[in-house]
Amino acid sequence: MQVPAMPEYMINGIPVNFPFEPYSVQSAYMEKVLECLKKRESGMLESPTGTGKTLSLLCASLSWLSLRKAQQQAESLVVHRLPDGDFVTGLQNSLVEAAGPLNMPRAGTSSWESGGTQIIYASRTHSQLSQAIQELKKTGYTHTKMAVLGSRDQMCIHPEVSKEENNIAKMHKCQAYTKSHACYFYSNLERKKTDPALRDVGILDIEDLVKLGQKQRVCPYFLARDLRKDADVIFMPYNYILDQKHLKSHGVELTNNVVILDEAHNVEKICEESVSICIRSTDVALCIQEITQVMESLYGNGESSAEFSQRGDATQPDFSPEELCILKTVFLEVEKAIDDIPVESGGSTFDGGFIVELLAKAQVTYEKSHLLLDLLVKIVQYLSVTGNSPFRYKGAAIQKFVELLKIVFRASNERTVHIGQLKRCFKVHVTDEEPKKSKLKSDSWGGAKTSASIVKERVITYLCFSPAFGMKQLLENDPHCVILTSGTLSPLSSLMSELGIPIPVTLENPHVIGSGQVFVSVISTGPDGFALNSSYNTRNDPQYISSLGMTVLNVCRIVPHGILVFFPSYPVLYKCRDEWQQSGLWSKVAAHKPIFVEPRSRDGFHSTISEYYNKVQDPATRGACFMAVTRGKVSEGLDFMDVNGRAVIVTGLPYPPLMDTYVKLKRSYLRENQGKNGTQCLTADEWYLLEATRAVNQAIGRVIRHKDDYGAILLCDQRFQGLSFKAALSSWVRPHMKMHNSFGLMIRELKQFFVNAEKTLPPPRVKAPSCELKAPPVAASFDMTAKRSSTVSRTGNAAPQVSSSSSTSEWSPDDYLATAASSLPAEKKTDLFEALEKPTTVINLNDTSAVSCGKSLFKWGDSELPRAKKMKLKVAPPKVIVSSFQDSVDLSAGEGGRAKSNPSHSTSKPGSSKDKAPVSSAPKVQEIGSYLMEVKKSLDTVTYQRFSKLTRAYDKEKDFAALLTALWEVMMGDGRNLRHLFKGYRRFLRASHKTKFDAYCATMIPE
């Protein structure tokens, strides 16, 4: 396909193809990128999200690469074919002036023969890489050869390897299969390497590459590595570059190549984490156990060995019994050396060189490390491929020891120099952990998972506290230049101090938006005048929590569409949620905007965020509220442009936990190294503040995503008024900051801001909601005058629910929510399930979902049309009563002031006893609807599906014990504290189960 010509602009002496005339911030950004490339200097470039950073970065770097390739070809021609004449000299000089001098090639070759220069474009996640690849498709450089590298977990299509849950086992099984040619997809790739269908693939992301591999029956993982060799630009996660272990395993060559680290605001943490590791005494014990089991399995009896020898080359042992004995002796010595470490009550800390001394006690030294590593890798590979073996962990503990040896003994320079670096940049922390009764999830600050144990477990944590160690290792590979860029790098001086490498080219770009497109306010007090301060001493104060809740409620009344509320941590989020649910504030916020809560685990997050997007985009609603955590899944990499994010509320400064082991050791390390050897580094307090402000910068970056976007940034903590915090904010935010000591004044200005923005800026892009209507599990009867019942009244706001001849035997509570506010008749039915099986004669006119979709609920055949009758409708009462809170929320005020109606009116024909129902039954079903709506608002999508499942199961099986267990897990598990909803389920139980339920609640949920 021929690429249409794009406009060309001369920037920094290089012609750049750009889709449109660049803005001033884009021109400035491309000038700095080209300056780095031409001068071969590292750069740190900040440009806010929405300024076209990725597009500018790709266009500038690829335009330079085009000249560099021409320059290398010209040099090759001069060396081998053309005489050195005036024309050739002039051509060379002009190319040098434009692209800069050539890098030094290998001896006896030209730069072109050395393979040419490549651009390595790295970002934090594969989703961010996919976005960059989509931007590449918009440029005039779509002819560029590219490759994208990923893990086997994403790209393997082998039926046996791909089903491995452990990534290490997956890697080693793949290596064994490819080595023995037991993988059909790898062997087929070897045969079809020259096939044009696999060479001229165009621009593909990982998903496209996997589809190509499935279609051509070749391995996408190794296909990507083949494409990498001839690619002009290679996309990969930046831990592949910063982690030296990944760099070698993926075959990435950095010498003379351009390294671009996009979304580099986390780069210092990746540099530290890539060379940090935690080893437990139980890990060493598992190593001994696994090696013993291998010895017994292979060499314990002749029959086992004979059977093993017939399995094929992929599972043949590549080690001897003697080597296994030596390894077992080594691990026994390591175990003894760990037990002999003197440990104080709070843990003991040593310098980084201590780990070398510890391993030396087990005869593990620099000289022996490489032989030991090779042998350990062979054993892990064997454990990974023997799927029917008794090896439960498949070498996971041995692999962890392999990682430790690679980190400690990876010196590429003099040994004494390396040990000196370990002493300066690393700490060894040794602790004795008490037995744990339950598993504890790791947090983002180095806390490790623990499991139940009988005796104390000794833990050795080998931590790197200097990002400069990893960055200097990167520069040892002699790249052409390194460009770090992101929308949130501020303050640049602090980050450069941490990275410890020379970065002469810097840029802090402003935003492309005007002053009328962003509202930034520091809110120091709530509506009740109480100070907003989320510090450790006040965050649990009920008055503070109430004031913060009222602040969120008032903002939800003013701000249209989507709102993001960020909390410092999950415990703070859960505490506020529980208090607001008990006080009724949660229901009041939900009456204005449905509330979604970020799941702590990855399960269910995709469905939760998708549901939030759908609710915001639905014209029938007034938006939604998403409550999340800074440094969480919402704060980075997700798109909240336009209506998806009209406001960001930050409820506190997210300082890392002060008593966390990593935080204490990091602060101690910074104090020890302050001013040492004439180097400038952050103080402990500066680093502590920087960790909080970086998380805040990431959170507020969700709100403005392009030049026509607008939104509000509300910082709800009086500590944000400090000058040190303002200086650490992104440069584009600082000029717009306002300090509001009066909450009322802030609300008036916020309201006026959105009024002006809606008048002066382009209307938001709202997508039509997806129409996925479910038939309610009740039979409905209507009097109709229309000839076609599928026709919806043009003057009404709801679609009639048409009768069904047969009732549904199985239902979901989700089906009932569409009629949650309706009054359904029940004839002496006392439980939820039987009440829902009765016919309804009420239509909820507040339900606009069918009208907004433009479709009727059912399609009728001519023979199925009901007899035309006069339609009589009854409007459901707009007041929803939440009995568990003893609070009522009038929804009519939030729905455009819809008129209330008398709930006692009947839609039945006069004199028809069949359609009559007692008036007293209406509040019963009204209560059911209120309860189900409250449950759905309080649970994420996956958990709500579990609630539906347990409800259906109880209706069918009447198993009270199973219901009790499942209901407790849904309402009280995973940090939830929905005790009011747990107790509220009592009204739906069978009469014989209510006494047991009361006794259970009295024991488990005391008043």
Side-chain angles (χ1 to χ4, degrees):
M1 182 179 67
Q2 186 175 3
V3 179
M6 285 193 177
E8 189 175 89
Y9 302 92
M10 190 63 65
I11 299 176
N12 205 344
I14 293 181
V16 178
N17 290 330
F18 206 72
F20 49 84
E21 184 175 355
Y23 305 130
S24 58
V25 294
Q26 293 170 335
S27 296
Y29 185 85
M30 289 190 282
E31 285 181 2
K32 290 295 184 178
V33 171
L34 293 173
E35 182 181 347
C36 295
L37 295 170
K38 292 171 68 172
K39 294 182 178 180
R40 201 177 181 183
E41 294 177 342
S42 295
M44 185 176 290
L45 314 178
E46 181 186 68
S47 191
T49 302
T51 56
K53 169 179 61 69
T54 303
L55 182 66
S56 302
L57 181 60
L58 289 170
C59 289
S61 57
L62 291 174
S63 63
W64 173 86
L65 183 63
S66 299
L67 288 181
R68 175 49 57 102
K69 291 170 68 176
Q71 189 180 14
Q72 291 170 335
Q73 284 181 307
E75 182 213 23
S76 176
L77 292 174
V78 169
V79 171
H80 296 290
R81 302 177 188 175
L82 298 178
D84 192 1
D86 293 337
F87 171 76
V88 175
T89 302
L91 176 62
Q92 286 181 308
N93 292 339
S94 61
L95 289 172
V96 168
E97 182 180 356
L102 284 170
N103 303 323
M104 292 297 295
R106 295 193 301 268
T109 64
S110 66
S111 298
W112 183 254
E113 293 171 324
S114 298
T117 301
Q118 293 177 314
I119 294 175
I120 299 174
Y121 188 107
S123 192
R124 183 169 178 264
T125 65
H126 280 288
S127 62
Q128 291 167 343
L129 289 175
S130 295
Q131 294 172 12
I133 292 172
Q134 295 305 313
E135 290 295 309
L136 177 59
K137 295 178 180 179
K138 301 176 184 178
T139 70
Y141 301 94
T142 52
H143 60 279
T144 301
K145 293 182 179 180
M146 60 82 65
V148 56
L149 301 185
S151 64
R152 290 177 175 85
D153 193 43
Q154 297 165 309
M155 305 178 78
C156 179
I157 60 176
H158 191 284
E160 293 185 20
V161 178
S162 59
K163 69 181 180 182
E164 288 285 344
E165 296 182 1
N166 185 296
N167 289 333
I168 300 300
K170 189 175 294 185
M171 176 186 71
H172 287 290
K173 180 172 282 191
C174 172
Q175 290 174 348
Y177 281 15
T178 53
K179 182 179 179 181
S180 62
H181 299 284
C183 176
Y184 167 80
F185 302 99
Y186 176 78
S187 301
N188 198 33
L189 176 64
E190 293 292 311
R191 292 190 294 268
K192 301 175 67 173
K193 271 188 175 181
T194 58
D195 191 334
L198 299 180
R199 309 309 304 175
D200 304 325
V201 295
I203 299 177
L204 302 179
D205 60 16
I206 286 183
E207 291 76 13
D208 298 328
L209 202 60
V210 171
K211 290 178 182 177
L212 177 64
Q214 292 170 336
K215 180 179 179 180
Q216 298 290 334
R217 305 288 290 169
V218 298
C219 176
Y221 179 81
F222 286 100
L223 174 60
R225 274 142 187 75
D226 285 344
L227 295 174
R228 169 188 57 81
K229 299 174 184 177
D230 298 325
D232 297 319
V233 57
I234 308 170
F235 295 88
M236 67 184 73
Y238 58 53
N239 64 305
Y240 285 17
I241 297 174
L242 298 175
D243 189 335
Q244 296 294 313
K245 303 184 295 294
H246 283 105
L247 189 66
K248 292 181 179 179
S249 63
H250 290 284
V252 179
E253 179 62 49
L254 299 183
T255 304
N256 290 333
N257 288 336
V258 177
V259 176
I260 297 174
L261 300 178
D262 197 3
E263 303 298 336
H265 48 272
N266 288 318
V267 68
E268 85 291 341
K269 190 168 292 293
I270 296 296
C271 286
E272 292 180 350
E273 292 176 352
S274 64
V275 287
S276 298
I277 196 169
C278 177
I279 293 288
R280 300 172 177 271
S281 56
T282 51
D283 292 327
V284 180
L286 278 175
C287 291
I288 298 171
Q289 178 183 345
E290 289 177 339
I291 291 176
T292 302
Q293 288 177 337
V294 172
M295 296 170 69
E296 293 174 352
S297 174
L298 297 184
Y299 308 108
N301 57 75
E303 182 180 357
S304 177
S305 297
E307 290 178 351
F308 176 80
S309 63
Q310 297 176 1
R311 293 176 184 167
D313 294 336
T315 55
Q316 285 283 1
D318 197 11
F319 41 83
S320 64
E322 293 77 12
E323 290 174 323
L324 291 175
C325 292
I326 294 173
L327 273 183
K328 185 172 181 178
T329 303
V330 168
F331 281 117
L332 288 171
E333 290 296 324
V334 171
E335 187 178 48
K336 181 177 183 302
I338 291 175
D339 291 339
D340 291 341
I341 299 174
V343 180
E344 300 175 358
S345 58
S348 299
T349 305
F350 309 91
D351 64 51
F354 175 80
I355 197 72
V356 179
E357 300 171 5
L358 179 70
L359 293 173
K361 293 180 181 180
Q363 305 302 315
V364 180
T365 61
Y366 276 94
E367 293 80 8
K368 301 177 182 177
S369 61
H370 296 295
L371 294 174
L372 187 61
L373 274 172
D374 290 341
L375 180 57
L376 290 173
V377 169
K378 292 176 183 177
I379 293 176
V380 174
Q381 183 172 306
Y382 163 71
L383 292 173
S384 301
V385 299
T386 51
N388 57 346
S389 70
F391 310 122
R392 178 181 173 190
Y393 300 99
K394 294 196 173 184
I398 297 178
Q399 181 63 35
K400 186 177 286 190
F401 197 77
V402 168
E403 301 296 330
L404 174 66
L405 296 183
K406 287 182 178 179
I407 292 172
V408 175
F409 298 113
R410 65 151 304 276
S412 58
N413 46 23
E414 293 293 332
R415 184 181 310 174
T416 55
V417 175
H418 180 62
I419 293 177
Q421 290 177 336
L422 296 183
K423 290 181 178 180
R424 288 193 306 272
C425 302
F426 288 78
K427 292 288 184 184
V428 179
H429 186 68
V430 186
T431 57
D432 286 331
E433 288 192 355
E434 295 292 338
K436 306 295 183 186
K437 293 184 179 180
S438 60
K439 294 182 179 180
L440 298 177
K441 294 183 178 180
S442 62
D443 56 30
S444 59
W445 295 100
K449 292 182 179 178
T450 60
S451 57
S453 59
I454 299 176
V455 296
K456 286 186 176 181
E457 184 180 26
R458 182 151 290 185
V459 182
I460 300 177
T461 310
Y462 188 54
L463 294 169
C464 175
F465 292 111
S466 174
F469 180 82
M471 290 303 296
K472 288 176 181 177
Q473 286 184 340
L474 174 63
L475 294 183
E476 287 176 3
N477 292 280
D478 194 27
H480 177 86
C481 68
V482 178
I483 300 175
L484 297 97
T485 184
S486 179
T488 52
L489 291 176
S490 296
L492 301 189
S493 57
S494 300
L495 183 56
M496 284 191 286
S497 174
E498 282 194 281
L499 297 181
I501 61 173
I503 303 180
V505 182
T506 60
L507 174 68
E508 286 185 87
N509 245 346
H511 217 300
V512 292
I513 60 172
S515 58
Q517 292 178 252
V518 63
F519 179 90
V520 185
S521 173
V522 177
I523 306 173
S524 58
T525 60
D528 56 354
F530 192 82
L532 296 178
N533 188 316
S534 184
S535 63
Y536 180 78
N537 295 327
T538 59
R539 65 177 55 164
N540 292 319
D541 187 337
Q543 194 171 353
Y544 159 74
I545 295 174
S546 175
S547 185
L548 179 63
M550 288 187 288
T551 301
V552 174
L553 173 61
N554 279 273
V555 171
C556 286
R557 289 170 173 164
I558 298 297
V559 177
H561 310 302
I563 294 180
L564 305 176
V565 184
F566 285 99
F567 293 83
S569 64
Y570 282 105
V572 177
L573 168 58
Y574 294 151
K575 178 69 174 178
C576 290
R577 179 195 63 185
D578 295 343
E579 292 289 335
W580 294 345
Q581 287 176 346
Q582 293 292 342
S583 67
L585 274 171
W586 188 271
S587 296
K588 292 177 181 179
V589 173
H592 291 276
K593 295 181 184 294
I595 302 174
F596 297 84
V597 178
E598 177 182 3
R600 193 161 192 168
S601 62
R602 293 184 179 273
D603 298 336
F605 176 73
H606 178 73
S607 59
T608 302
I609 195 67
S610 298
E611 194 172 346
Y612 167 81
Y613 286 150
N614 291 336
K615 188 65 68 175
V616 171
Q617 297 281 352
D618 188 349
T621 66
R622 292 180 299 157
C625 176
F626 201 109
M627 296 189 177
V629 175
T630 50
R631 303 187 188 91
K633 296 172 280 296
V634 173
S635 64
E636 182 175 355
L638 292 179
D639 184 12
F640 292 96
M641 72 176 180
D642 294 329
V643 297
N644 288 333
R646 282 296 182 221
V648 166
I649 301 175
V650 182
T651 64
L653 273 167
Y655 286 109
L658 191 59
M659 300 309 295
D660 181 86
T661 300
Y662 170 82
V663 176
K664 290 192 295 184
L665 292 176
K666 177 75 174 185
R667 288 167 61 86
S668 174
Y669 167 83
L670 292 172
R671 284 192 290 265
E672 291 175 5
N673 288 272
Q674 187 64 38
K676 188 178 289 186
N677 300 326
T679 58
Q680 293 184 351
C681 66
L682 296 174
T683 66
D685 292 337
E686 287 173 342
W687 172 82
Y688 196 59
L689 175 63
L690 191 61
E691 286 298 309
T693 54
R694 280 176 179 164
V696 171
N697 282 333
Q698 275 299 108
I700 65 180
R702 303 305 96 202
V703 73
I704 304 292
R705 309 296 292 183
H706 59 84
K707 68 180 182 65
D708 293 324
D709 205 354
Y710 62 92
I713 300 169
L714 306 177
L715 308 174
C716 299
D717 194 311
Q718 60 185 191
R719 294 175 295 171
F720 285 115
Q721 294 177 334
L723 294 177
S724 58
F725 170 76
K726 184 176 181 180
L729 273 179
S730 296
S731 59
W732 70 272
V733 177
R734 297 173 208 154
H736 305 287
M737 283 190 69
K738 295 180 181 179
M739 307 294 175
H740 285 101
N741 294 320
S742 169
F743 187 83
L745 176 61
M746 184 279 299
I747 284 292
R748 287 194 295 272
E749 292 185 7
L750 179 65
K751 183 175 182 179
Q752 191 59 44
F753 165 78
F754 280 104
V755 169
N756 295 336
E758 290 175 354
K759 288 181 180 179
T760 59
L761 294 169
R765 289 170 275 183
V766 181
K767 298 178 181 178
S770 58
C771 185
E772 296 181 359
L773 299 178
K774 297 180 180 179
V778 292
S781 299
F782 301 101
D783 292 332
M784 297 187 173
T785 56
K787 292 183 178 179
R788 293 279 176 177
S789 61
S790 60
T791 304
V792 179
S793 172
R794 303 191 183 206
T795 59
N797 292 328
Q801 296 173 353
V802 188
S803 63
S804 175
S805 58
S806 61
S807 60
T808 306
S809 60
E810 190 173 83
W811 63 279
S812 165
D814 199 26
D815 299 329
Y816 183 66
L817 292 180
T819 57
S822 302
S823 298
L824 301 179
E827 298 177 357
K828 299 181 180 180
K829 299 293 184 179
T830 58
D831 62 29
L832 168 67
F833 321 104
E834 294 175 337
L836 291 180
E837 291 174 358
K838 291 303 296 176
T840 179
T841 59
V842 178
I843 297 176
N844 181 4
L845 293 182
N846 290 328
D847 183 7
T848 61
S849 57
V851 173
S852 64
C853 296
K855 296 181 180 180
S856 61
L857 290 174
F858 298 95
K859 293 182 179 179
W860 291 89
D862 292 337
S863 61
E864 298 172 312
L865 289 177
R867 191 158 43 95
K869 296 180 180 179
K870 183 178 179 180
M871 180 183 290
K872 293 182 180 181
L873 305 180
K874 172 185 168 184
V875 181
K879 176 169 289 190
V880 176
I881 301 172
V882 186
S883 59
S884 58
F885 297 138
Q886 296 181 352
D887 185 21
S888 63
V889 181
D890 192 350
L891 299 183
S892 61
E895 296 292 339
R898 292 181 182 136
K900 299 182 181 181
S901 63
N902 187 350
S904 64
H905 288 172
S906 171
T907 61
S908 304
K909 294 177 64 176
S912 175
S913 60
K914 181 179 67 172
D915 295 332
K916 285 183 178 181
V919 176
S920 61
S921 67
K924 167 66 179 177
V925 184
Q926 178 91 13
E927 191 178 3
I928 294 172
S930 299
Y931 177 81
L932 291 179
M933 285 194 294
E934 183 67 22
V935 169
K936 188 162 188 179
K937 292 172 185 175
S938 303
L939 301 176
D940 58 72
T941 304
V942 173
T943 310
Y944 182 75
Q945 290 173 354
R946 290 165 56 194
F947 171 79
S948 301
K949 185 176 180 180
L950 70 89
T951 301
R952 291 195 299 268
Y954 178 67
D955 179 37
K956 184 177 181 180
E957 304 293 339
K958 306 298 186 290
D959 187 343
F960 175 70
L963 169 76
L964 206 59
T965 302
L967 186 64
W968 180 269
E969 180 63 27
V970 166
M971 299 298 182
M972 308 296 288
D974 197 20
R976 292 181 291 275
N977 187 17
L978 305 177
R979 59 179 67 189
H980 63 290
L981 294 178
F982 183 86
K983 291 182 176 180
Y985 203 89
R986 181 185 186 277
R987 71 200 75 172
F988 310 130
L989 297 175
R990 298 174 64 86
S992 59
H993 293 156
K994 289 186 178 182
T995 303
K996 297 179 182 178
F997 186 80
D998 293 339
Y1000 185 86
C1001 289
T1003 304
M1004 301 299 295
I1005 312 177
E1007 296 296 337

